[in-house]
């Protein structure tokens, strides 16, 4: 463990859900490198402890382990309270936890559909609710950044629950942003395209599939978790102080309809 030398979020307290790997882990590293004290959420404490080992230290104290299932109301209340108590407050909430299950839609099981919605939608609602209650009580102008997906916009056949959940996330962000804008609380989303993380190992680790995925992206490469983390940082920082209710697509141009790069229809 090193000590943080940057200071964009010095003295600030940040809770990140789903921080045990992938984009959540990179986001935790980003905020800690910028001087914030972070609370790491995920279901498995041992994985969170391993992530904490690699974070730069901050003078305010240890980064917090806030284990719990983000889809469960009692867990979210407890892990948010623990984060606030141990960090001495909360300034930024990053709702990052999410997952997907593939299935032809005619075969999708209710359990799988509801399971994805429980984490990707209910989990976002529960974490936002706990943070908002605290900020309103304390008069804090907090910021929420939700990790959505390009599939907030682009349909994703065979992943009906995931598509539905990310569409819902877009409207959660817009609704909360409007409801709390006058109290100085900002709510935005980042929408990644194809990013190199453990959930994408199937194509990341196969050179042919990696090329195939890259060929569909206008910038001809997938994104890195650090590129998403930096955008989350921007949406939580004072540089974006007049931005609320927006989804910022970070996708190498994936949402630009790449097939139209060369004119084929007129
Ligand atoms: P990942 O699977 O590597 O990480 C997901 C994290 O969420 C893990 O830490 C996991 O433990 C946690 N998590 C899952 N269910 C949880 C629960 N019930 N309670 C608490 N934590 C839980 O995935 P990732 O690629 O880093 O994705 C992170 C976010 O980014 C997700 O919301 C995902 O939808 C979104 N996203 C990812 C990509 C991509 O290409 N990787 C693209 C678009 C959007």
């Amino acid at each position: 463990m090193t000590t943080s030398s940057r200071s964009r979020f010095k003295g600030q307290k940040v809770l990140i859900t789903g921080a045990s790997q992938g984009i959540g882990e990179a986001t935790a590293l980003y905020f800690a490198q910028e001087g914030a004290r972070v609370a790491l959420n995920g279901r498995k404490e041992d994985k969170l402890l391993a992530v904490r080992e690699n974070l730069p230290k901050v003078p305010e104290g240890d980064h917090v382990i806030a284990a719990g299932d983000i889809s469960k109301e009692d867990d979210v209340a407890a892990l948010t309270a623990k984060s606030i108590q141990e960090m001495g407050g909360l300034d930024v909430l990053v709702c990052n936890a999410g997952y997907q299950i593939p299935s032809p839609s005619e075969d999708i099981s209710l359990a799988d559909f509801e399971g994805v919605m429980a984490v990707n939608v209910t989990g976002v609602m529960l974490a936002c609710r706990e943070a908002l209650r605290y900020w309103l009580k304390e008069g804090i102008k907090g910021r929420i950044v939700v990790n959505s997906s390009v599939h907030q916009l682009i349909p994703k056949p065979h992943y009906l629950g995931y598509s539905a959940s990310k569409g819902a996330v877009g409207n959660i962000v817009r609704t909360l942003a409007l409801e709390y804008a006058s109290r100085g609380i900002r709510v935005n989303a980042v929408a990644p395209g194809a990013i190199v993380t453990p959930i994408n190992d199937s194509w990341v680790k196969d050179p042919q599939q990696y090329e195939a995925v890259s060929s569909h992206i206008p910038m001809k490469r997938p994104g890195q978790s650090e590129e998403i983390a930096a955008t989350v940082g921007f949406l939580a920082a004072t540089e974006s102080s007049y931005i609320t209710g927006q989804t910022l697509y970070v996708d190498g141009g994936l949402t630009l309809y790449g097939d139209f790069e060369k004119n084929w229809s007129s």
Side-chain angles (χ1 to χ4, degrees), residues 17-24 41-43 47 68-71 95-99 119-120 147-151 162 166 191-200 203 225:
T17 73
S20 64
Q21 63 177 39
I23 296 170
N41 161 254
R43 284 158 302 175
K47 288 183 89 175
D69 185 332
I70 209 70
S71 68
C95 296
N96 167 77
Y99 79 114
V119 174
N120 298 11
N147 198 344
S148 180
S149 165
V150 286
H151 297 295
Y162 191 74
K166 296 302 186 179
I195 309 300
V196 175
T197 69
I199 53 163
N200 288 329
W203 59 262
S225 294

Side-chain angles (χ1 to χ4, degrees), residues 32-246:
Q33 283 174 335
E34 292 290 348
R37 193 170 181 193
V38 300
L40 304 166
N41 161 254
R43 284 158 302 175
K44 296 190 178 133
E45 193 153 330
D46 56 333
K47 288 183 89 175
L48 298 173
L49 287 165
V51 169
R52 183 167 71 175
E53 275 301 297
N54 294 322
L55 299 183
K57 282 189 180 228
V58 293
E60 290 81 7
D62 278 346
H63 299 295
V64 173
I65 303 297
D69 185 332
I70 209 70
S71 68
K72 298 209 160 62
E73 189 170 24
D74 291 349
D75 279 21
V76 179
L79 73 89
T80 313
K82 181 179 192 235
S83 302
I84 291 168
Q85 203 214 334
E86 291 189 16
M87 293 195 293
L90 181 69
D91 301 291
V92 177
L93 168 67
V94 182
C95 296
N96 167 77
Y99 79 114
Q100 58 184 8
I101 302 176
S103 166
S105 294
E106 72 270 24
D107 293 331
I108 194 167
S109 78
L110 182 60
D112 282 357
F113 185 83
E114 289 186 342
V116 168
M117 297 298 275
V119 174
N120 298 11
V121 180
T122 307
V124 171
M125 178 278 287
L126 290 171
C128 290
R129 188 185 70 184
E130 295 305 314
L132 287 163
R133 281 179 179 166
Y134 169 71
W135 290 336
L136 293 175
K137 185 160 65 73
E138 301 293 331
I140 293 169
K141 295 177 176 171
R143 287 135 281 151
I144 294 171
V145 183
V146 183
N147 198 344
S148 180
S149 165
V150 286
H151 297 295
Q152 182 177 314
L153 191 66
I154 302 174
K156 191 168 189 183
H158 292 251
Y159 290 86
L160 190 61
Y162 191 74
S163 286
S165 72
K166 296 302 186 179
V169 157
N171 254 353
I172 288 178
V173 163
R174 285 165 54 77
T175 300
L176 292 180
L178 182 55
E179 196 166 341
Y180 297 100
S182 65
R183 281 165 278 188
I185 295 169
R186 297 192 296 113
V187 187
N188 290 291
V190 59
I195 309 300
V196 175
T197 69
I199 53 163
N200 288 329
D201 272 354
S202 61
W203 59 262
V204 168
K205 295 196 165 154
D206 175 334
Q208 267 184 330
Q209 283 217 57
Y210 185 92
E211 276 314 307
V213 169
S214 299
S215 72
H216 290 292
I217 303 167
M219 286 179 72
K220 302 300 175 208
R221 67 166 178 89
Q224 299 296 327
S225 294
E226 294 72 21
E227 294 177 292
I228 306 303
T231 310
V232 172
F234 167 70
L235 289 171
T238 45
E239 286 94 326
S240 64
S241 54
Y242 206 48
I243 300 177
T244 197
Q246 303 304 309

Side-chain angles (χ1 to χ4, degrees), residues 9-24:
F9 286 93
K10 191 170 167 37
Q12 297 202 34
K13 294 119 187 168
V14 182
L15 167 60
I16 302 148
T17 73
S20 64
Q21 63 177 39
I23 296 170

